[in-house]
mmCIF file with all atom_site columns, all heavy atoms in Angstrom:
data_model
loop_
_atom_site.group_PDB
_atom_site.id
_atom_site.type_symbol
_atom_site.label_atom_id
_atom_site.label_alt_id
_atom_site.label_comp_id
_atom_site.label_asym_id
_atom_site.label_entity_id
_atom_site.label_seq_id
_atom_site.pdbx_PDB_ins_code
_atom_site.Cartn_x
_atom_site.Cartn_y
_atom_site.Cartn_z
_atom_site.occupancy
_atom_site.B_iso_or_equiv
_atom_site.pdbx_formal_charge
_atom_site.auth_seq_id
_atom_site.auth_comp_id
_atom_site.auth_asym_id
_atom_site.auth_atom_id
_atom_site.pdbx_PDB_model_num
ATOM 1  N N   . ILE A 1 166 ? 105.255 146.038 36.536 1.00 0.00 ? 166 ILE A N   1
ATOM 2  C CA  . ILE A 1 166 ? 104.560 144.768 36.334 1.00 0.00 ? 166 ILE A CA  1
ATOM 3  C C   . ILE A 1 166 ? 105.421 143.632 35.968 1.00 0.00 ? 166 ILE A C   1
ATOM 4  O O   . ILE A 1 166 ? 105.281 142.588 36.627 1.00 0.00 ? 166 ILE A O   1
ATOM 5  C CB  . ILE A 1 166 ? 103.363 145.005 35.260 1.00 0.00 ? 166 ILE A CB  1
ATOM 6  C CG1 . ILE A 1 166 ? 102.204 145.746 36.000 1.00 0.00 ? 166 ILE A CG1 1
ATOM 7  C CG2 . ILE A 1 166 ? 102.934 143.649 34.710 1.00 0.00 ? 166 ILE A CG2 1
ATOM 8  C CD1 . ILE A 1 166 ? 101.070 146.051 35.052 1.00 0.00 ? 166 ILE A CD1 1
ATOM 9  N N   . PRO A 1 167 ? 106.382 143.739 35.066 1.00 0.00 ? 167 PRO A N   1
ATOM 10 C CA  . PRO A 1 167 ? 107.253 142.547 34.849 1.00 0.00 ? 167 PRO A CA  1
ATOM 11 C C   . PRO A 1 167 ? 108.103 142.182 36.046 1.00 0.00 ? 167 PRO A C   1
ATOM 12 O O   . PRO A 1 167 ? 108.316 140.984 36.341 1.00 0.00 ? 167 PRO A O   1
ATOM 13 C CB  . PRO A 1 167 ? 108.185 143.037 33.725 1.00 0.00 ? 167 PRO A CB  1
ATOM 14 C CG  . PRO A 1 167 ? 107.436 144.093 33.010 1.00 0.00 ? 167 PRO A CG  1
ATOM 15 C CD  . PRO A 1 167 ? 106.631 144.789 34.147 1.00 0.00 ? 167 PRO A CD  1
ATOM 16 N N   . ARG A 1 168 ? 108.494 143.196 36.892 1.00 0.00 ? 168 ARG A N   1
ATOM 17 C CA  . ARG A 1 168 ? 109.252 142.933 38.121 1.00 0.00 ? 168 ARG A CA  1
ATOM 18 C C   . ARG A 1 168 ? 108.431 142.281 39.207 1.00 0.00 ? 168 ARG A C   1
ATOM 19 O O   . ARG A 1 168 ? 108.881 141.539 40.061 1.00 0.00 ? 168 ARG A O   1
ATOM 20 C CB  . ARG A 1 168 ? 109.913 144.194 38.607 1.00 0.00 ? 168 ARG A CB  1
ATOM 21 C CG  . ARG A 1 168 ? 110.886 144.771 37.658 1.00 0.00 ? 168 ARG A CG  1
ATOM 22 C CD  . ARG A 1 168 ? 111.411 146.125 38.056 1.00 0.00 ? 168 ARG A CD  1
ATOM 23 N NE  . ARG A 1 168 ? 112.218 146.718 37.064 1.00 0.00 ? 168 ARG A NE  1
ATOM 24 C CZ  . ARG A 1 168 ? 113.520 146.410 36.858 1.00 0.00 ? 168 ARG A CZ  1
ATOM 25 N NH1 . ARG A 1 168 ? 114.154 145.552 37.609 1.00 0.00 ? 168 ARG A NH1 1
ATOM 26 N NH2 . ARG A 1 168 ? 114.219 146.986 35.872 1.00 0.00 ? 168 ARG A NH2 1
ATOM 27 N N   . MET A 1 169 ? 107.092 142.515 39.150 1.00 0.00 ? 169 MET A N   1
ATOM 28 C CA  . MET A 1 169 ? 106.126 141.938 40.110 1.00 0.00 ? 169 MET A CA  1
ATOM 29 C C   . MET A 1 169 ? 105.802 140.499 39.723 1.00 0.00 ? 169 MET A C   1
ATOM 30 O O   . MET A 1 169 ? 105.266 139.727 40.537 1.00 0.00 ? 169 MET A O   1
ATOM 31 C CB  . MET A 1 169 ? 104.868 142.787 40.192 1.00 0.00 ? 169 MET A CB  1
ATOM 32 C CG  . MET A 1 169 ? 105.138 144.196 40.773 1.00 0.00 ? 169 MET A CG  1
ATOM 33 S SD  . MET A 1 169 ? 103.744 145.307 40.491 1.00 0.00 ? 169 MET A SD  1
ATOM 34 C CE  . MET A 1 169 ? 102.477 144.601 41.549 1.00 0.00 ? 169 MET A CE  1
ATOM 35 N N   . ASN A 1 170 ? 106.012 140.167 38.497 1.00 0.00 ? 170 ASN A N   1
ATOM 36 C CA  . ASN A 1 170 ? 105.657 138.833 37.906 1.00 0.00 ? 170 ASN A CA  1
ATOM 37 C C   . ASN A 1 170 ? 106.853 138.247 37.135 1.00 0.00 ? 170 ASN A C   1
ATOM 38 O O   . ASN A 1 170 ? 106.711 137.905 35.996 1.00 0.00 ? 170 ASN A O   1
ATOM 39 C CB  . ASN A 1 170 ? 104.471 138.965 36.948 1.00 0.00 ? 170 ASN A CB  1
ATOM 40 C CG  . ASN A 1 170 ? 103.281 139.572 37.651 1.00 0.00 ? 170 ASN A CG  1
ATOM 41 O OD1 . ASN A 1 170 ? 102.513 138.900 38.352 1.00 0.00 ? 170 ASN A OD1 1
ATOM 42 N ND2 . ASN A 1 170 ? 103.052 140.904 37.482 1.00 0.00 ? 170 ASN A ND2 1
ATOM 43 N N   . PRO A 1 171 ? 107.993 138.119 37.832 1.00 0.00 ? 171 PRO A N   1
ATOM 44 C CA  . PRO A 1 171 ? 109.218 137.733 37.103 1.00 0.00 ? 171 PRO A CA  1
ATOM 45 C C   . PRO A 1 171 ? 109.135 136.417 36.340 1.00 0.00 ? 171 PRO A C   1
ATOM 46 O O   . PRO A 1 171 ? 109.638 136.294 35.227 1.00 0.00 ? 171 PRO A O   1
ATOM 47 C CB  . PRO A 1 171 ? 110.258 137.717 38.146 1.00 0.00 ? 171 PRO A CB  1
ATOM 48 C CG  . PRO A 1 171 ? 109.557 137.598 39.438 1.00 0.00 ? 171 PRO A CG  1
ATOM 49 C CD  . PRO A 1 171 ? 108.226 138.233 39.267 1.00 0.00 ? 171 PRO A CD  1
ATOM 50 N N   . SER A 1 172 ? 108.447 135.393 36.888 1.00 0.00 ? 172 SER A N   1
ATOM 51 C CA  . SER A 1 172 ? 108.392 134.115 36.212 1.00 0.00 ? 172 SER A CA  1
ATOM 52 C C   . SER A 1 172 ? 107.554 134.234 34.906 1.00 0.00 ? 172 SER A C   1
ATOM 53 O O   . SER A 1 172 ? 107.863 133.522 33.896 1.00 0.00 ? 172 SER A O   1
ATOM 54 C CB  . SER A 1 172 ? 107.814 133.031 37.128 1.00 0.00 ? 172 SER A CB  1
ATOM 55 O OG  . SER A 1 172 ? 106.488 133.354 37.498 1.00 0.00 ? 172 SER A OG  1
#
Side-chain angles (χ1 to χ4, degrees):
I166 284 178
R168 295 173 188 280
M169 295 166 66
N170 302 280
S172 63

